[in-house]
Amino acid sequence: MVGGASRREAGPERAEGAGSRAASRWVEVPGREPRKEEGSPDNGVRRAVGHGLSPPAGRMSLAAYCVICCRRIGTSTSPPKSGTHWREIRNIIKFTGSLILGGSLFLTYEVLALKKAVTLDTQVVEREKMKSYIYVHTVSLDKGENHGIAWQARKELHKAVRKVLATSAKILRNPFADPFSTVDIEDHECAVWLLLRKSKSDDKTTRLEAVREMSETHHWHDYQYRIIAQACDPKTLIGLARSEESDLRFFLLPPPLPSLKEDSSTEEELRQLLASLPQTELDECIQYFTSLALSESSQSLAAQKGGLWCFGGNGLPYAESFGEVPSATVEMFCLEAIVKHSEISTHCDKIEANGGLQLLQRLYRLHKDCPKVQRNIMRVIGNMALNEHLHSSIVRSGWVSIMAEAMKSPHIMESSHAARILANLDRETVQEKYQDGVYVLHPQYRTSQPIKADVLFIHGLMGAAFKTWRQQDSEQAVIEKPMEDEDRYTTCWPKTWLAKDCPALRIISVEYDTSLSDWRARCPMERKSIAFRSNELLRKLRAAGVGDRPVVWISHSMGGLLVKKMLLEASMKPEMSTVINNTRGIIFYSVPHHGSRLAEYSVNIRYLLFPSLEVKELSKDSPALKTLQDDFLEFAKDKNFQVLNFVETLPTYIGSMIKLHVVPVESADLGIGDLIPVDVNHLNICKPKKKDAFLYQRTLQFIREALAKDLEN
């Protein structure tokens, strides 16, 4: 019975193990655990299976468990031949292994390909202890290189992989909670490199769009802005500097400046730079400034070494610098001379070759509190930027970063000088070139607003590109400081008001040197007539693209005479015909068409003895002035120009003692157009008190009426 009981109880086990070998038989003995008969393999494994239990985790390996499962599956059919199951398993392993191996090789190839395409210099990260500086190796600029079938296939494959990854990322992110779904770091990283790639596209529209997207991004981390700053090309950097919304973190600090030579100073190096420039074939004014700067700097250096400063030399009558620091005065002399030299292209090459960009940058930093010095330095850089072969040197020296910061300055002169430099550097969106004295007040940044017309502002005697067009000063300021060259000015109404009321206009203001007397002339040898200045300004304005669009001219005092002379000169030159054909209207603010009594008065005796050529040409008996008036009146009537004349009715204080009606009503009457008297003096005739003042509103109305058809189109 024992044997029978054993067999009955083991029945389920036998049924379960029907597919096993006959030798595998179990015997149960009362009071003992079941045991396996001799000749039965897998003794330890079948003991647990005989009871219908899973193998203990600690006593059975994964491989043994897999073998048992395979044998259980085999019991449902007739016993296969020996080794069939292992062959199937080997086939599965071979197939799976092939897939894994092939996929691994594919991924390895793609990783190596991407690594070769984009290689990062991680030593910089280790050195700076932060993810702020990423360097990307340059690639070949040869468009015919690496453009075979394999390259095209890889390009399409990468596009497909990126789309799959982007789609899967969106799908996987959706189920997560809001705190996790808002974490967008990986997307930001992807955006940085995709924008960099777009910014280097062969398509100009794509490049401009990439720069615009970069400038509008304000949620990146610091190191992501630094990635752009390190990896972008000069065109992108300049575009970011000319984008109004750009973050200044896009711009790295300028590279370290070279150390000064032993026992040397910036003043001495500036003098050496000036002395290294060609001194032959120069006009009288450049020769004057160069000789003055070299002589004054020699005296300064000698006085510093000897402990004594002595005035004198050619600069004494004109410098008026008794109360100034000698070194600053000498630097100003040198800068004035270098400004004149920088107007000559070959001299710009010499300035760059002799380290002038770095030296001027050192001076710019040293004189942060001296706007005059900084403006002269920016004039030099702006002139050098007219030469495209020097653009790379200007960018490498760090001037773009400095100008990007200056563009955001609240001071209109600083921002306008910076805007001129960057516009001359930006050959992507700017075709015009802005020479010294031509400043764009609007738009100073890149803009999607189409420009449909130009409005030009030409100042008069003792005026300037910015201060002439500021808002009206208080009466006390006019009495005390009527013609002082201030460093701080009120708001420039063409830039603030007119630009907002007519955003489709390009607003340009022109600056040129004038004086009441040769005693105060910046260059005593430079006796420029109205005819000479008009030719010079016309050439500069044509280089700036004036004449390519409809134009409205706005002038004050002697500036109106220059406008008349420029239009007459342009009418006689076929290459300037577009200037005449596109002139829509002219506004004259107290322009002495028939002369002024200014030449008959003076502030003191030295003005009376030596009136400047400009003042002489304004006298009522000037034959040149009468000829200009007659010729222009006939010309304007023939061309049917729209004209608006304003004239002052109040006298102007010159100094603290003399009042003078500079332009009488009869002299301001051109002979065509409306003549509107205004109860202001000569200085304030072009300075509205506020935006709703009659002067500004009537000016705005004239501009809109003259350009009505052009602005509509």
Side-chain angles (χ1 to χ4, degrees), residues 190-210:
C190 183
V192 169
W193 293 107
L194 288 179
L195 286 176
L196 276 172
R197 181 180 179 85
K198 286 178 62 177
S199 69
K200 299 179 181 180
S201 171
D202 293 334
D203 181 58
K204 179 180 177 180
T205 304
T206 303
R207 293 197 303 270
L208 297 179
E209 179 67 18

Side-chain angles (χ1 to χ4, degrees), residues 609-624:
L609 292 177
F610 297 99
S612 66
L613 181 60
E614 294 97 333
V615 173
K616 291 179 180 178
E617 288 187 326
L618 294 179
S619 61
K620 289 186 176 181
D621 57 351
S622 170

Side-chain angles (χ1 to χ4, degrees), residues 366-610:
L366 289 175
H367 294 281
K368 289 183 178 180
D369 299 327
C370 187
K372 290 182 180 180
V373 172
Q374 289 193 332
R375 288 198 296 269
N376 277 329
I377 291 173
M378 287 193 282
R379 287 175 66 189
V380 175
I381 303 301
N383 291 342
M384 296 180 68
L386 293 170
N387 305 282
E388 294 188 31
H389 65 280
L390 296 178
H391 286 187
S392 58
S393 299
I394 295 173
V395 173
R396 285 197 306 269
S397 61
W399 276 107
V400 174
S401 300
I402 297 174
M403 292 302 102
E405 183 177 359
M407 280 279 285
K408 299 182 182 298
S409 171
H411 302 291
I412 182 174
M413 286 189 290
E414 183 178 2
S415 61
S416 297
H417 278 279
R420 173 180 170 249
I421 293 173
L422 293 173
N424 285 337
L425 290 173
D426 186 8
R427 297 297 91 188
E428 285 276 90
T429 61
V430 181
Q431 302 302 321
E432 303 84 6
K433 292 187 177 182
Y434 299 101
Q435 299 188 20
D436 190 27
V438 180
Y439 302 98
V440 177
L441 302 181
H442 173 81
Q444 292 186 339
Y445 294 99
R446 285 185 177 182
T447 177
S448 57
Q449 170 72 49
I451 303 301
K452 299 181 179 180
D454 292 337
V455 175
L456 307 181
F457 287 83
I458 316 294
H459 68 79
L461 195 65
M462 297 297 293
F466 310 106
K467 74 175 184 179
T468 295
W469 313 106
R470 66 188 187 275
Q471 293 180 23
Q472 184 172 326
D473 301 319
S474 66
E475 289 299 322
Q476 188 65 23
V478 173
I479 294 173
E480 293 179 355
K481 301 178 181 180
M483 295 182 181
E484 186 172 310
D485 185 17
E486 303 169 2
D487 289 330
R488 299 180 62 183
Y489 301 99
T490 55
T491 305
C492 180
W493 63 264
K495 185 178 187 297
T496 54
W497 300 343
L498 185 58
K500 291 180 181 178
D501 291 333
C502 299
L505 299 178
R506 181 179 64 157
I507 304 173
I508 293 178
S509 186
V510 174
E511 183 164 287
Y512 56 95
D513 295 333
T514 63
S515 60
L516 290 175
S517 166
D518 282 346
W519 280 100
R520 293 181 62 91
R522 298 175 66 85
C523 178
M525 301 176 185
E526 185 180 39
R527 301 180 61 85
K528 293 185 177 179
S529 63
I530 292 177
F532 182 91
R533 290 189 186 279
S534 65
N535 277 319
E536 185 180 46
L537 289 179
L538 185 61
R539 175 181 54 82
K540 291 183 177 182
L541 291 174
R542 191 68 192 97
V546 173
D548 296 337
R549 307 181 185 93
V551 183
V552 170
W553 304 78
I554 300 178
S555 58
H556 174 239
S557 190
M558 194 185 80
L561 303 180
L562 288 175
V563 170
K564 291 160 59 175
K565 188 63 176 178
M566 279 191 285
L567 292 176
L568 288 174
E569 292 290 337
S571 66
M572 295 182 288
K573 298 178 180 179
E575 66 274 14
M576 297 288 183
S577 60
T578 55
V579 176
I580 303 301
N581 297 334
N582 281 321
T583 294
R584 297 290 187 266
I586 311 169
I587 297 178
F588 296 108
Y589 286 109
S590 287
V591 174
H593 301 292
H594 303 282
S596 171
R597 298 180 63 191
L598 182 63
E600 302 172 14
Y601 291 84
S602 62
V603 176
N604 53 41
I605 190 65
R606 64 177 181 176
Y607 288 169
L608 184 61
L609 292 177
F610 297 99

Side-chain angles (χ1 to χ4, degrees), residues 131-183:
K131 293 172 66 178
S132 294
Y133 302 92
I134 306 297
Y135 291 88
V136 178
H137 292 297
T138 57
V139 297
S140 174
L141 298 178
D142 185 5
K143 296 181 180 179
E145 197 172 301
N146 298 327
H147 282 208
I149 297 178
W151 183 87
Q152 294 290 346
R154 285 180 55 203
K155 180 179 178 181
E156 296 300 324
L157 180 61
H158 288 173
K159 286 183 179 179
V161 170
R162 281 198 296 270
K163 290 181 180 179
V164 171
L165 292 176
T167 304
S168 62
K170 292 180 180 178
I171 295 174
L172 292 174
R173 240 194 337 260
N174 287 336
F176 289 105
D178 290 339
F180 292 94
S181 62
T182 56
V183 178

Side-chain angles (χ1 to χ4, degrees), residues 207-500:
R207 293 197 303 270
L208 297 179
E209 179 67 18
V211 173
R212 185 189 62 79
E213 292 180 15
M214 289 180 187
S215 66
E216 294 176 353
T217 302
H218 302 287
H219 59 274
W220 284 347
H221 299 289
D222 285 347
Y223 75 89
Q224 291 172 308
Y225 289 101
R226 300 305 181 186
I227 289 175
I228 299 291
Q230 285 288 338
C232 69
D233 56 14
K235 292 181 180 179
T236 303
L237 187 66
I238 294 169
L240 288 171
R242 295 197 70 239
S243 300
E244 188 171 8
E245 301 297 326
S246 287
D247 196 300
L248 288 179
R249 288 175 290 180
F250 279 121
F251 308 98
L252 299 175
L253 293 175
L257 297 174
S259 301
L260 290 173
K261 299 177 182 178
E262 189 176 356
D263 297 332
S264 182
S265 63
T266 55
E267 178 187 339
E268 187 172 357
E269 293 206 357
L270 191 63
R271 182 185 185 279
Q272 292 175 358
L273 174 64
L274 179 59
S276 67
L277 300 178
Q279 305 299 323
T280 57
E281 299 181 359
L282 303 178
D283 63 31
E284 292 182 345
C285 202
I286 297 180
Q287 291 178 2
Y288 164 76
F289 277 115
T290 302
S291 62
L292 174 63
L294 293 177
S295 63
E296 292 293 337
S297 60
S298 298
Q299 292 186 37
S300 173
L301 293 174
Q304 290 175 15
K305 294 179 180 179
L308 176 65
W309 166 256
C310 55
F311 290 95
N314 295 330
L316 179 58
Y318 312 105
E320 300 181 358
S321 58
F322 293 96
E324 299 183 20
V325 179
S327 60
T329 304
V330 172
E331 288 173 355
M332 281 297 297
F333 288 157
C334 292
L335 284 175
E336 289 281 0
I338 293 176
V339 167
K340 294 295 182 180
H341 279 276
S342 65
E343 295 176 357
I344 304 174
S345 178
T346 55
H347 292 205
C348 289
D349 296 339
K350 291 288 186 179
I351 294 173
E352 188 274 332
N354 294 332
L357 290 171
Q358 291 75 19
L359 178 59
L360 292 174
Q361 191 176 131
R362 186 188 302 277
L363 282 172
Y364 188 90
R365 296 180 185 179
L366 289 175
H367 294 281
K368 289 183 178 180
D369 299 327
C370 187
K372 290 182 180 180
V373 172
Q374 289 193 332
R375 288 198 296 269
N376 277 329
I377 291 173
M378 287 193 282
R379 287 175 66 189
V380 175
I381 303 301
N383 291 342
M384 296 180 68
L386 293 170
N387 305 282
E388 294 188 31
H389 65 280
L390 296 178
H391 286 187
S392 58
S393 299
I394 295 173
V395 173
R396 285 197 306 269
S397 61
W399 276 107
V400 174
S401 300
I402 297 174
M403 292 302 102
E405 183 177 359
M407 280 279 285
K408 299 182 182 298
S409 171
H411 302 291
I412 182 174
M413 286 189 290
E414 183 178 2
S415 61
S416 297
H417 278 279
R420 173 180 170 249
I421 293 173
L422 293 173
N424 285 337
L425 290 173
D426 186 8
R427 297 297 91 188
E428 285 276 90
T429 61
V430 181
Q431 302 302 321
E432 303 84 6
K433 292 187 177 182
Y434 299 101
Q435 299 188 20
D436 190 27
V438 180
Y439 302 98
V440 177
L441 302 181
H442 173 81
Q444 292 186 339
Y445 294 99
R446 285 185 177 182
T447 177
S448 57
Q449 170 72 49
I451 303 301
K452 299 181 179 180
D454 292 337
V455 175
L456 307 181
F457 287 83
I458 316 294
H459 68 79
L461 195 65
M462 297 297 293
F466 310 106
K467 74 175 184 179
T468 295
W469 313 106
R470 66 188 187 275
Q471 293 180 23
Q472 184 172 326
D473 301 319
S474 66
E475 289 299 322
Q476 188 65 23
V478 173
I479 294 173
E480 293 179 355
K481 301 178 181 180
M483 295 182 181
E484 186 172 310
D485 185 17
E486 303 169 2
D487 289 330
R488 299 180 62 183
Y489 301 99
T490 55
T491 305
C492 180
W493 63 264
K495 185 178 187 297
T496 54
W497 300 343
L498 185 58
K500 291 180 181 178

Side-chain angles (χ1 to χ4, degrees), residues 2 6 28-33:
V2 175
S6 299
E28 184 179 47
V29 180
R32 288 188 173 183
E33 295 182 357

Side-chain angles (χ1 to χ4, degrees), residues 4-225:
S6 299
R7 284 191 294 272
R8 284 195 300 271
E9 294 178 4
E13 207 288 323
R14 292 176 60 191
E16 180 179 331
S20 63
R21 294 181 181 179
S24 300
R25 184 176 301 171
W26 289 80
V27 179
E28 184 179 47
V29 180
R32 288 188 173 183
E33 295 182 357
R35 64 183 178 81
K36 188 178 181 183
E37 294 181 353
E38 294 181 4
S40 299
D42 303 324
N43 189 26
V45 176
R46 289 189 175 274
R47 183 179 301 153
V49 178
H51 287 278
L53 301 174
S54 299
R59 300 172 58 187
M60 182 176 297
S61 66
L62 179 61
Y65 183 67
C66 292
V67 172
I68 293 171
C69 292
C70 291
R71 290 186 177 181
R72 284 182 178 178
I73 296 172
T75 58
S76 60
T77 59
S78 59
K81 295 181 180 180
S82 177
T84 302
H85 300 292
W86 293 107
R87 283 196 297 272
E88 292 177 356
I89 293 173
R90 283 197 297 271
N91 291 335
I92 293 173
I93 293 174
K94 288 179 180 179
F95 179 76
T96 306
S98 300
L99 288 178
I100 295 173
L101 180 60
S104 301
L105 291 175
F106 174 80
L107 292 176
T108 302
Y109 173 78
E110 291 302 318
V111 169
L112 292 176
L114 290 175
K115 182 179 179 181
K116 183 178 180 181
V118 181
T119 304
L120 306 180
D121 187 0
T122 57
Q123 293 181 354
V124 180
V125 181
E126 296 175 359
R127 184 169 63 249
E128 296 294 339
K129 305 291 185 179
M130 59 184 294
K131 293 172 66 178
S132 294
Y133 302 92
I134 306 297
Y135 291 88
V136 178
H137 292 297
T138 57
V139 297
S140 174
L141 298 178
D142 185 5
K143 296 181 180 179
E145 197 172 301
N146 298 327
H147 282 208
I149 297 178
W151 183 87
Q152 294 290 346
R154 285 180 55 203
K155 180 179 178 181
E156 296 300 324
L157 180 61
H158 288 173
K159 286 183 179 179
V161 170
R162 281 198 296 270
K163 290 181 180 179
V164 171
L165 292 176
T167 304
S168 62
K170 292 180 180 178
I171 295 174
L172 292 174
R173 240 194 337 260
N174 287 336
F176 289 105
D178 290 339
F180 292 94
S181 62
T182 56
V183 178
D184 232 5
I185 295 177
E186 294 183 357
D187 284 351
H188 292 173
E189 296 287 355
C190 183
V192 169
W193 293 107
L194 288 179
L195 286 176
L196 276 172
R197 181 180 179 85
K198 286 178 62 177
S199 69
K200 299 179 181 180
S201 171
D202 293 334
D203 181 58
K204 179 180 177 180
T205 304
T206 303
R207 293 197 303 270
L208 297 179
E209 179 67 18
V211 173
R212 185 189 62 79
E213 292 180 15
M214 289 180 187
S215 66
E216 294 176 353
T217 302
H218 302 287
H219 59 274
W220 284 347
H221 299 289
D222 285 347
Y223 75 89
Q224 291 172 308
Y225 289 101

